[in-house]
Amino acid sequence: MICQHALAASLAPPSSSTPVYKEECTQCFDSQDTPEGVDVCLSCFNGGCPAEPHNHAHQHSMKSGHYLTLNIRRKPKPPVAHSDGDDEDSQRPAKLTKLEIREHTGADDYEYHTFVRCWGCSGARVESGLENIEPTVSAVIRAVEASKGHEIKAWAEE
């Protein structure tokens, strides 16, 4: 579907200090793990649930006039099957040679599904005409979640 709201939109991507609420609805805390996912407003980066009984994403768009959202859903990846070898050596991890601390991201554990929705067009999925909002969509996907941003800020203050 070609959406006139998407064609006319001039959306600024979030800055590194802008909180992006993409993990859950900011009002009822429905998460990305629900079958409907979470809609992130592409104007103010508020997260809202897109389905009944609350439909906070639609309520936000009608109050604010921010019609375009990015729907984000995630599903757990199936566990990786290990080799059929039952011997003890095949189940033992490789010998550790150095200790390393790495941030664990959900990218390894989940499959993410996204699409742009327009609440000005009855919540329809926008399939084309996304060229001018693509930088904002990409920035929202890459943005640090608001909860992680608050944790980082708390550490920086200490």
Side-chain angles (χ1 to χ4, degrees):
M1 178 190 128
I2 296 177
C3 170
Q4 296 305 317
H5 300 102
L7 292 173
S10 59
L11 303 170
S15 69
S16 60
S17 62
T18 304
V20 177
Y21 297 94
K22 63 182 187 176
E23 291 180 312
E24 59 189 13
C25 175
T26 57
Q27 295 184 32
C28 69
F29 307 109
D30 283 355
S31 74
Q32 298 172 346
D33 301 324
T34 61
E36 298 81 20
V38 171
D39 276 6
V40 179
C41 175
L42 292 177
S43 296
C44 66
F45 314 111
N46 180 60
C49 57
E52 296 298 334
H54 308 295
N55 206 343
H56 291 122
H58 182 252
Q59 291 176 18
H60 171 76
S61 72
M62 293 300 110
K63 284 182 184 177
S64 64
H66 301 163
Y67 297 122
L68 296 172
T69 62
L70 176 67
N71 180 273
I72 303 174
R73 265 186 319 118
R74 72 178 183 185
K75 292 182 182 178
K77 286 184 180 176
V80 177
H82 296 286
S83 64
D84 292 336
D86 287 334
D87 61 358
E88 193 175 311
D89 290 336
S90 68
Q91 295 177 0
R92 187 176 297 159
K95 184 177 179 182
L96 297 176
T97 57
K98 65 179 179 178
L99 181 61
E100 180 179 17
I101 299 174
R102 281 190 268 159
E103 179 182 4
H104 179 74
T105 63
D108 299 335
D109 301 331
Y110 296 97
E111 294 176 0
Y112 288 87
H113 304 275
T114 61
F115 67 89
V116 174
R117 179 189 323 251
C118 179
W119 288 104
C121 298
S122 304
R125 187 179 193 136
V126 180
E127 301 290 343
S128 59
L130 299 174
E131 295 80 23
N132 61 330
I133 62 171
E134 185 60 36
T136 303
V137 169
S138 297
V140 167
I141 291 170
R142 288 190 318 268
V144 174
E145 291 91 358
S147 61
K148 297 257 191 275
H150 294 310
E151 290 173 13
I152 293 167
K153 188 175 179 181
W155 275 98
E157 289 175 0
E158 289 181 13

